[in-house]
């Protein structure tokens, strides 16, 4: 995890300039001293980073893909991280006993544990830092032996299709002949060395040489009780609800329906930590968008909405409290939370009091704000009477977003809360900076790599890489960097290796492929780059319409995008648009504005990787379900 620590004495950067924090001025600003000139100045926390800003920002996103870690390995490192946290949080005089106890439990030596503990501490508590590194054969043999090994590997890759045992006998013979010729006594490597070297060959290398053109190879969430809340961001409640309001589209200002809001509230201060308003039903994406909005600094958000106000809530959350909806407890969401040490807990069944803070806030916003807006649907039919919500509706989605932000940051945050006795803003400020009687928790570290955070909370699928690339939701994706993974076998399951594919449902024109060798995400676009962008919701609607008319029930990619273009033309040319068409058009506008932008990998990265060409690939496309493993 990359965090910017905002404590006095910490070294930070603004652009390429190095500074040292000398004082915490308020909950959004610090005083820094230039390491070059010695001058001090006031600076907003959003402008700080932990390292110099690289203008030539790489579009390959370094990462450890969480879903790529086996369940048993994830549980193992998560438990180890728990032991290390206990050690780091223990009193200094007790730490020696804690280390000894942990070493016994993990069945490792104390020096080994200490090394791992230091590595874990240096990573700011990232559990993925405890993953065992893959074995890498660094060529510990003599150069002469390495040359012989490579010649034997070349023999293995020939169309003679020699067995490993045959290759090893050739190795023994070549080492014997070399020793006899040069009067040396080089040791023959073990046969397992040859087995390991061969296991590291990619399917593409094997398929294009040894097998010829036609060859083919074939956790546990942390559950705890609801403790007393004593500091900001210790517990945040999150939930969804439809807003009692009709909104209009951006173009014709006609009603398109009720939006859904996903809202998060800090239980300690009652400050809103983040929200997300959409036209979709509650799902994992909405939850992830709300969590990332809660964690990230809000300065850019306020600027985009032209709001002059303070919203100083940012930073990692200790515990997120939710109800039992499935959109809160998908595996990818839980792992992303665990990576960032966020304890994702369910509200106990039959105990609505545990969600009281967020429920009361929803009621407050509806009664004192939403129900006063034009286009409100009121809370029930009796209250609504003959009021025509659709006809009276005036706010677009973006305007509602701006209005709601104003309500939160300029009114709600500065209104005395009946239970707190002070405003949420004052309570939060006390919790961060302290007061005359209580120490504050201090400014929380700021997440530096925002894109990495957003990708971690995206939904995912698993797919193999075939000759044509990747197929997801019936659409083909391809990039040259996929070549080495074509038909890569999974030796543990006797089928093609499955790779993690992250996707943004708002824009399926590209997906994020996790390359396990590079430990990075790669943006993979449509195979046919002329295809228009499409959202997952549009895709499902199109498939639903086409399925009834398809003779076999199968819908091809061409049919999908032909239907997409026809729908776009209808929407564009309709003289009197229906509510459904206006809603589709608004979703397209949201897709363009909010989805993670497609990124193209720069040519220099391709040169550095020295990718080998795979010749004579037959791009005969088959339905994904019919692909032979």
């Amino acid at each position: 995890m990359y965090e910017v620590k905002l404590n006095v004495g910490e070294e930070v950067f603004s652009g390429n300039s190095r500074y040292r924090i000398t004082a915490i001025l308020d909950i959004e600003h610090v005083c820094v001293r230039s390491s070059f000139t010695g001058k001090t100045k006031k600076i907003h926390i959003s402008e700080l980073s932990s390292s110099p800003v690289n203008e030539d920002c790489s579009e390959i996103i370094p990462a450890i893909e969480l879903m790529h870690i086996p369940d048993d390995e994830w549980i193992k490192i998560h438990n180890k991280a728990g032991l290390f946290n206990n050690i780091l949080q223990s009193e200094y005089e007790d730490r020696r006993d804690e280390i000894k106890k942990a070493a016994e439990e993990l069945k490792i030596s104390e020096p080994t544990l200490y090394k791992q503990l230091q590595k874990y501490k240096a990573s700011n508590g990232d559990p993925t830092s405890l993953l065992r590194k893959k074995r890498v054969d660094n060529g510990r043999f003599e150069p002469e032996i390495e040359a012989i090994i490579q010649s034997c590997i070349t023999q293995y890759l020939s169309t003679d299709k020699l067995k490993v045992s045959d290759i090893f006998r050739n190795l023994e013979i070549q080492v014997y002949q070399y020793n006899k010729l040069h009067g040396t006594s080089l040791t023959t490597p073990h046969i397992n060395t040859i087995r390991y070297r061969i296991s590291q060959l990619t399917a593409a290398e094997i398929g294009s040489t040894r097998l010829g053109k036609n060859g083919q190879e074939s956790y546990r969430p942390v559950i705890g009780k609801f403790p007393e809340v004593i500091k900001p961001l210790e517990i945040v409640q999150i939930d969804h609800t439809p807003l009692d309001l009709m909104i209009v589209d951006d173009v014709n200002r006609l009603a398109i329906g009720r939006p859904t809001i996903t809202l998060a509230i800090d239980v300690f201060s009652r400050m809103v930590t983040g929200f997300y308003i959409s036209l979709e039903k509650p799902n994992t994406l909405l939850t992830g968008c709300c969590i990332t909005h809660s964690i990230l600094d809000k300065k850019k958000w306020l600027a985009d909405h032209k709001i002059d106000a303070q919203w100083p809530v940012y930073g990692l959350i200790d515990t997120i409290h939710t109800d039992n909806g499935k959109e809160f407890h998908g595996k990818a969401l839980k792992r992303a939370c665990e990576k960032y040490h966020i304890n994702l807990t369910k509200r106990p069944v039959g105990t609505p009091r545990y969600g009281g803070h967020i429920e009361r806030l929803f009621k407050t916003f509806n009664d004192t704000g939403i129900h006063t807006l034009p286009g409100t649907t009121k809370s029930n039919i009796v209250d609504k009477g003959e009021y025509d919500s659709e006809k009276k509706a005036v706010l677009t989605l973006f305007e509602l977003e701006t209005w709601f932000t104003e309500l939160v940051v300029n009114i709600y945050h500065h209104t005395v809360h009946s239970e707190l006795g002070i405003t949420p803003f004052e309570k939060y400020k006390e919790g961060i900076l302290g007061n005359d009687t209580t120490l504050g928790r201090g400014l929380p570290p700021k997440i530096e790599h925002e894109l990495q955070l957003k990708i971690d909370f995206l939904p995912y699928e698993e797919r193999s890489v075939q000759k044509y690339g990747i197929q997801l939701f019936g659409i083909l994706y391809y990039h040259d960097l996929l070549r080495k993974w074509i038909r890569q076998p999974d030796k543990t399951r006797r089928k093609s290796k499955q790779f993690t594919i992250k996707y943004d449902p708002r824009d399926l024109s590209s997906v994020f492929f996790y390359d396990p060798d590079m430990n990075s995400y790669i943006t993979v676009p449509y195979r046919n780059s002329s295809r228009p962008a499409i959202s997952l919701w549009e895709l499902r609607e199109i498939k639903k319409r086409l399925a009834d008319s398809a003779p076999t029930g199968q819908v091809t990619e061409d049919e999908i995008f032909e239907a997409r273009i026809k729908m776009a033309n209808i929407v564009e040319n309709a003289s009197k648009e229906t509510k459904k068409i206006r809603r589709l058009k608004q979703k397209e506008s949201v897709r363009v504005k909010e989805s993670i932008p497609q990124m193209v990998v720069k040519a220099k990265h391709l040169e550095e990787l020295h990718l080998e060409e795979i010749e004579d690939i037959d791009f005969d496309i088959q339905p994904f379900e019919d692909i032979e493993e």
Side-chain angles (χ1 to χ4, degrees):
M1 286 185 296
Y2 294 92
E3 297 178 335
V4 185
K5 294 185 177 180
L6 302 174
N7 305 317
V8 173
E10 295 286 352
E11 183 180 79
V12 292
F13 289 82
S14 179
N16 289 315
S17 300
R18 187 193 306 265
Y19 296 94
R20 185 79 62 179
I21 296 177
T22 59
I24 307 299
L25 300 180
D26 56 42
I27 48 182
E28 289 190 300
H29 298 87
V30 296
C31 181
V32 296
R33 176 181 289 113
S34 170
S35 300
F36 180 67
T37 64
K39 294 182 179 180
T40 60
K41 69 174 183 175
K42 177 181 178 180
I43 194 165
H44 193 276
I45 57 99
S46 64
E47 300 175 38
L48 300 176
S49 60
S50 63
S51 57
V53 174
N54 182 6
E55 298 296 335
D56 184 22
C57 185
S58 172
E59 289 151 341
I60 295 179
I61 306 124
I64 296 294
E65 171 46 48
L66 306 182
M67 301 313 300
H68 196 67
I69 304 170
D71 287 354
D72 56 347
E73 185 70 10
W74 179 261
I75 292 172
K76 184 177 179 180
I77 65 170
H78 198 63
N79 290 341
K80 184 182 285 187
L83 291 174
F84 286 0
N85 287 335
N86 290 338
I87 294 172
L88 294 173
Q89 293 168 10
S90 64
E91 297 293 336
Y92 183 78
E93 57 270 17
D94 299 330
R95 191 164 295 181
R96 183 70 182 80
D97 292 336
E98 290 288 339
I99 290 176
K100 183 177 181 181
K101 180 180 176 182
E104 291 174 354
E105 184 172 340
L106 296 173
K107 298 180 180 178
I108 58 177
S109 68
E110 291 183 29
T112 299
L113 185 141
Y114 187 76
K115 289 179 182 178
Q116 294 180 5
L117 180 63
Q118 294 304 309
K119 184 178 179 182
Y120 178 71
K121 185 178 178 182
S123 73
N124 292 318
D126 185 350
T128 60
S129 67
L130 300 176
L131 287 169
R132 294 184 63 183
K133 289 186 177 181
K134 293 181 181 179
R135 175 184 166 187
V136 178
D137 195 326
N138 293 317
R140 290 172 292 176
F141 300 104
E142 296 86 346
E144 298 82 0
I145 294 295
E146 278 296 329
I148 295 173
I149 291 175
Q150 289 305 315
S151 69
C152 291
I153 296 297
T154 301
Q155 290 178 342
Y156 177 81
L157 290 173
S158 72
T159 53
D160 294 336
K161 299 182 181 179
L162 297 176
K163 297 178 180 179
V164 175
S165 57
D166 297 329
I167 297 298
F168 181 66
R169 278 194 290 271
N170 289 342
L171 176 66
E172 289 181 311
I173 292 171
Q174 289 187 54
V175 172
Y176 173 78
Q177 290 176 339
Y178 185 90
N179 284 335
K180 186 175 181 180
L181 180 63
H182 296 86
T184 56
S185 56
L186 298 178
T187 304
T188 303
H190 194 275
I191 189 173
N192 286 342
T193 297
I194 300 299
R195 290 196 180 104
Y196 175 74
R197 294 290 182 93
I198 290 173
S199 73
Q200 299 306 296
L201 297 171
T202 66
E205 290 175 299
I206 296 173
S208 61
T209 53
R210 176 181 170 86
L211 302 180
K213 295 179 181 179
N214 300 319
Q216 181 177 347
E217 300 273 357
S218 284
Y219 274 115
R220 177 179 86 196
V222 180
I223 304 298
K225 64 179 181 179
F226 203 116
E228 179 186 359
V229 184
I230 60 174
K231 60 183 179 180
L233 303 181
E234 184 178 2
I235 294 180
V236 166
Q237 289 185 345
I238 184 170
D239 207 350
H240 313 278
T241 191
L243 288 174
D244 294 340
L245 182 76
M246 297 291 290
I247 62 172
V248 300
D249 69 291
D250 293 333
V251 179
N252 298 301
R253 314 290 297 194
L254 295 174
I256 54 177
R258 293 173 63 186
T260 297
I261 185 170
T262 306
L263 186 68
I265 177 179
D266 173 45
V267 174
F268 172 82
S269 65
R270 308 303 199 272
M271 288 276 278
V272 172
T273 63
F275 69 89
Y276 187 73
I277 302 176
S278 73
L279 290 166
E280 310 303 331
K281 295 179 180 179
N283 57 57
T284 302
L285 174 70
L286 308 192
T287 305
C289 288
C290 182
I291 293 175
T292 55
H293 189 222
S294 294
I295 292 173
L296 296 177
D297 170 61
K298 312 296 191 297
K299 185 177 181 181
K300 184 178 184 301
W301 172 274
L302 294 172
D304 290 344
H305 290 77
K306 296 180 172 60
I307 295 174
D308 183 15
Q310 285 184 293
W311 194 357
V313 183
Y314 69 91
L316 294 177
I317 300 160
D318 295 340
T319 295
I320 293 178
H321 211 230
T322 74
D323 66 17
N324 291 274
K326 64 180 181 180
E327 68 273 12
F328 292 118
H329 301 287
K331 184 175 179 180
L333 182 65
K334 288 195 290 186
R335 284 212 174 173
C337 286
E338 288 176 350
K339 172 184 176 179
Y340 292 98
H341 297 284
I342 299 172
N343 181 17
L344 190 63
T345 66
K346 298 180 183 180
R347 180 188 308 170
V349 178
T351 56
R353 63 186 180 277
Y354 279 92
H357 303 96
I358 192 85
E359 298 295 344
R360 283 193 293 273
L361 187 58
F362 280 142
K363 188 175 187 304
T364 297
F365 286 149
N366 271 324
D367 292 346
T368 62
I370 301 295
H371 290 168
T372 65
L373 292 175
T376 177
T377 61
K378 301 295 185 180
S379 56
N380 55 61
I381 296 177
V382 176
D383 289 343
K384 181 180 178 183
E386 296 182 359
Y387 183 82
D388 191 337
S389 302
E390 291 193 10
K391 189 174 181 180
K392 298 289 187 180
V394 297
L395 291 178
T396 65
L397 187 62
F398 184 79
E399 288 167 347
L400 172 61
E401 210 172 61
T402 303
W403 177 89
F404 189 78
T405 304
E406 287 274 11
L407 174 66
V408 168
V409 300
N410 283 329
I411 300 177
Y412 169 72
H413 283 171
H414 298 282
T415 301
V416 175
H417 194 283
S418 59
E419 293 184 8
L420 301 176
I422 57 177
T423 69
F425 188 92
E426 290 172 327
K427 183 69 173 177
Y428 185 81
K429 185 176 179 180
E430 282 187 4
I432 295 295
L433 302 179
N435 53 29
D436 293 338
T437 60
T438 308
L439 290 174
R441 70 169 292 168
L443 292 180
K446 182 173 73 80
I447 290 295
E448 189 166 20
H449 292 177
E450 295 188 6
L451 180 58
Q452 174 66 68
L453 178 77
K454 292 176 181 178
I455 291 177
D456 281 337
F457 281 94
L458 287 179
Y460 80 102
E461 295 285 342
E462 290 187 339
R463 291 291 185 269
S464 60
V465 180
Q466 300 297 325
K467 293 183 290 185
Y468 50 77
I470 301 165
Q471 189 176 58
L472 189 67
F473 305 123
I475 300 174
L476 301 180
Y477 297 86
Y478 185 76
H479 193 289
D480 281 344
L481 288 176
L482 297 178
R483 290 189 174 199
K484 69 174 182 177
W485 298 116
I486 292 174
R487 291 176 174 169
Q488 180 71 14
D490 186 337
K491 297 178 176 61
T492 62
R493 295 190 290 181
R494 294 183 174 275
K495 60 187 236 180
S496 292
K497 183 178 178 64
Q498 299 291 299
F499 296 89
T500 298
I501 314 295
K502 289 287 185 84
Y503 63 93
D504 187 339
R506 296 164 296 189
D507 186 355
L508 297 178
S509 61
S510 61
V511 295
F512 297 99
F513 172 85
Y514 184 72
D515 188 307
D517 275 1
M518 297 172 63
N519 285 337
S520 300
Y521 294 103
I522 300 166
T523 304
V524 182
Y526 289 148
R527 179 169 187 82
N528 184 340
S529 59
S530 66
R531 304 289 198 199
I534 190 171
S535 71
L536 181 59
W537 303 287
E538 285 179 301
L539 180 60
R540 286 172 177 165
E541 180 69 21
I542 290 170
K543 283 187 173 182
K544 185 178 178 181
R545 293 186 182 188
L546 293 176
D548 297 333
S549 58
T552 62
Q554 294 285 336
V555 179
T556 67
E557 182 177 327
D558 286 338
E559 290 172 332
I560 289 171
F561 284 100
E562 284 174 8
R564 169 69 176 81
I565 293 171
K566 287 179 182 178
M567 286 175 62
N569 290 335
I570 291 172
V571 170
E572 189 66 31
N573 299 323
S575 58
K576 187 176 182 180
E577 297 170 336
T578 65
K579 187 200 303 187
K580 190 168 186 178
I581 289 179
R582 295 195 301 272
R583 193 177 178 92
L584 286 172
K585 200 167 185 178
Q586 185 64 49
K587 286 184 179 181
E588 171 68 9
S589 174
V590 171
R591 180 197 66 73
V592 172
K593 179 170 73 76
E594 295 186 351
S595 59
I596 296 177
Q598 178 174 330
M599 296 170 293
V600 180
V601 179
K602 296 180 180 178
K604 68 175 184 179
H605 295 303
L606 302 179
E607 295 168 2
E608 291 168 359
L609 291 169
H610 303 295
L611 296 176
E612 299 293 336
E613 291 291 324
I614 300 177
E615 299 178 353
D616 301 320
I617 293 181
D618 177 16
F619 293 102
D620 178 27
I621 309 304
Q622 307 172 55
F624 184 75
E625 294 78 5
D626 299 335
I627 296 170
E628 294 182 4
E629 300 291 0

